[in-house]
Amino acid sequence: MGICWCKEKHEESETYFPQSSNDNIDNAIQSVTPYSAAEYYMENTEKGCPDSSVVDKLVIETLGIIGTLVDNEQEPPASMLRLHNIADNEEGWIQVVKSMVNVIPMLDPLGPSVITLLLDDCPLPSRESVLHVASMFNLSAQSAIADRANAPKQRNISVVLGCIAEKLAGPSSLGILTNSTLDYLITNLDMDADPHVILFSLIALEKFAQTSENKATIIRRLQDEICCPISKLEPWINEEHFVRRQVGFCAQWALDNLFIMKNRKFSYLTVNNSHLNAMLNTSDVSEYLKISPNGLEARCDAYSFESVRCTAQADSGVWYYEVCIITPGVMQIGWATKESNFLNHDGYGIGDDKYSLAYDGCRKLIWYNAKSEPQQLPRWQPGDTLGCLLDMDNQQIIFSVNGKEIPPCTHVFSMAKSGFFAAASFMSFQQCHFNFGTEPFKFPPNLEFSNFNDCGVLEPESKKVMPRHIYLDQLRQQSVREDSCTLCYDKKASVRLIPCEHEGFCTSCVSQLTECPMCRSAIHLVVDDNT
């Protein structure tokens, strides 16, 4: 279960404090003294902006608590509520931003996500406040070069800029992407910069490009360079260094979807997917998840909790797949049927309903029906291998990390006996790579099993992972049949919804609905008029 403002229930486990080589941060964590609820609320309004050291401690406390929060229905932690109150005025908002930039450590796996979470929960800043922050950090090409020794600060500034760009997407963001801010972000793309800084500067540019005028400005700026800096980063997609690999992934996605460069072929035209018989399903994915051209790697840079299922279905026997963990943050990876719904904006994903089960190795939790069970394995790290075994003969699911298994899970079989898909959900800035059998498994189970690539079937057209703008252009050029589904305009409309009697939908689209898209009535029964 993700944090979007996602789940915030305190589990019966030790409190997680971020690991950092910075002694000042460690000391700050240890010196945090819990406040009473009354002190945090302060009658719902901060009486002036508190001392910066107080805000620093509140940020660190929130970061420490956030890894243990897992319940969507509970109130946010007291430290987060107080930060919200502090940020309710311009001076306080600026101090919260300054503290996040200065104290959130580089190596905490939830650091960037917590920045996103706190800023999204704070009141919308004014343009003047944002420009004040840019001036306070002296954003320019010169400062980007001069501050390279302070990579955590540069990374955090880039995360903040990306969050603000997304929060103020539209006309409000036009005046925020000043020449000096753009120079700062473009300069940070230099291959000699810290990979974390490059990554989040690139993501910030993506966020600014959500506004068409900003997108055009960024493209012109990139074209003015002797060699496009994003193009130079794209080969990093094959790096063994996992942060550089993330940079390569984001660079390739940006060049395919946003910053189109002349004489560059789209990635889906350059990859050979002929050997793939199973991959992540681009037609069964929530809206903001990024999927690689080979269909085997996924990443989320949105604030929502994005999910995907694979193309192949398991109905009987024993099945296994593996996942290479690229980022060590919150992901829920496991098995789901078609009845499992993706509620990305509400923070619900795989393991958050009765038709799916997942493992989250960041918080060391098994998830089923939005309830969690703590596990004893160490937190996963980049390069770890998650094994996912589905045994329908014995009605159990077994997860393993680097070959070390956790006890079998049986929860989901009370609701489903077959029809399972490999599936995963991603919190902000998380990424992993799936192996459905195209490569030898690193930690195969000691029993006979099947894999999706050996048993799956994909039509050639289904193996293409096209950029969304190309896919939409192709759809516009196609003639739509009169009996097409009114939601996907692809498959035949064949079902009727009970009790409202509305029709015009295909079985695939209806399987993802809980209410009628026309009248919003609850769906009690789906009748297939073709049978």
Side-chain angles (χ1 to χ4, degrees), residues 5 277 285 391 475 515 526:
W5 167 241
N277 299 311
V285 60
D391 184 348
L475 279 182
E515 58 183 29
V526 177

Side-chain angles (χ1 to χ4, degrees), residues 153-175:
K153 177 182 176 182
Q154 285 194 315
R155 192 279 307 266
N156 293 341
I157 288 174
S158 298
V159 176
V160 167
L161 290 173
C163 295
I164 292 172
E166 188 164 41
K167 198 175 178 74
L168 298 179
S172 298
S173 72
L174 294 180

Side-chain angles (χ1 to χ4, degrees), residues 37 244 454 513:
R244 289 163 66 96
D454 287 348
L513 301 175

Side-chain angles (χ1 to χ4, degrees), residues 226-368:
I226 298 174
C227 179
C228 173
I230 300 179
S231 298
K232 292 192 289 186
L233 298 170
E234 185 177 5
W236 284 11
I237 198 168
N238 298 315
E239 288 269 354
E240 294 184 3
H241 186 287
F242 287 102
V243 181
R244 289 163 66 96
R245 178 169 174 168
Q246 293 176 66
V247 171
F249 182 101
C250 290
Q252 184 180 75
W253 189 90
L255 292 170
D256 282 336
N257 291 273
L258 294 174
F259 310 129
I260 313 303
M261 295 292 135
K262 294 180 180 179
N263 302 320
R264 177 189 176 274
K265 284 188 176 181
F266 290 107
S267 301
Y268 82 97
L269 298 173
T270 65
V271 297
N272 180 9
N273 289 347
S274 60
H275 63 296
L276 297 181
N277 299 311
M279 58 197 296
L280 300 175
N281 193 341
T282 56
S283 298
D284 192 8
V285 60
S286 52
E287 55 193 318
Y288 299 122
L289 194 69
K290 301 173 180 177
I291 297 178
S292 63
N294 67 3
L296 298 177
E297 200 156 314
R299 178 180 177 88
C300 173
D301 286 315
Y303 176 59
S304 44
F305 199 46
E306 301 298 305
S307 301
V308 64
R309 274 179 282 254
C310 79
T311 55
Q313 178 175 322
D315 290 315
S316 62
V318 181
W319 296 78
Y320 181 75
Y321 74 96
E322 288 182 345
V323 177
C324 176
I325 303 302
I326 295 173
T327 56
V330 174
M331 296 178 282
Q332 292 174 199
I333 304 171
W335 300 91
T337 68
K338 278 289 186 181
E339 285 73 26
S340 180
N341 295 312
F342 301 158
L343 304 176
N344 54 332
H345 293 292
D346 294 323
Y348 289 88
I350 307 306
D352 293 334
D353 56 34
K354 296 179 180 180
Y355 302 97
S356 61
L357 188 140
Y359 179 64
D360 167 8
C362 176
R363 294 178 289 184
K364 304 186 294 182
L365 300 171
I366 287 290
W367 285 99
Y368 173 69

Side-chain angles (χ1 to χ4, degrees), residues 68-135:
T68 66
L69 303 183
V70 293
D71 186 358
N72 243 4
E73 308 304 326
Q74 204 165 348
E75 283 295 316
S79 59
M80 187 173 178
L81 289 174
R82 191 177 184 206
L83 286 170
H84 181 278
N85 287 335
I86 292 171
D88 204 29
N89 61 75
E90 180 175 351
E91 182 185 1
W93 185 86
I94 292 170
Q95 181 57 57
V96 170
V97 169
K98 184 177 180 180
S99 291
M100 289 191 297
V101 167
N102 288 334
V103 305
I104 289 184
M106 179 77 85
L107 298 182
D108 189 286
L110 295 178
S113 297
V114 168
I115 293 176
T116 303
L117 176 64
L118 288 173
L119 283 180
D120 190 80
D121 190 60
C122 289
L124 197 68
S126 67
R127 179 175 178 271
E128 290 70 23
S129 296
V130 175
L131 293 178
H132 183 102
V133 166
S135 174

Side-chain angles (χ1 to χ4, degrees), residues 28-36 39-40 57-58 61 82:
I29 294 171
Q30 296 167 8
S31 65
V32 171
T33 301
Y35 293 81
S36 68
E39 287 176 311
Y40 275 97
K57 290 178 181 180
L58 289 170
E61 184 177 349
R82 191 177 184 206

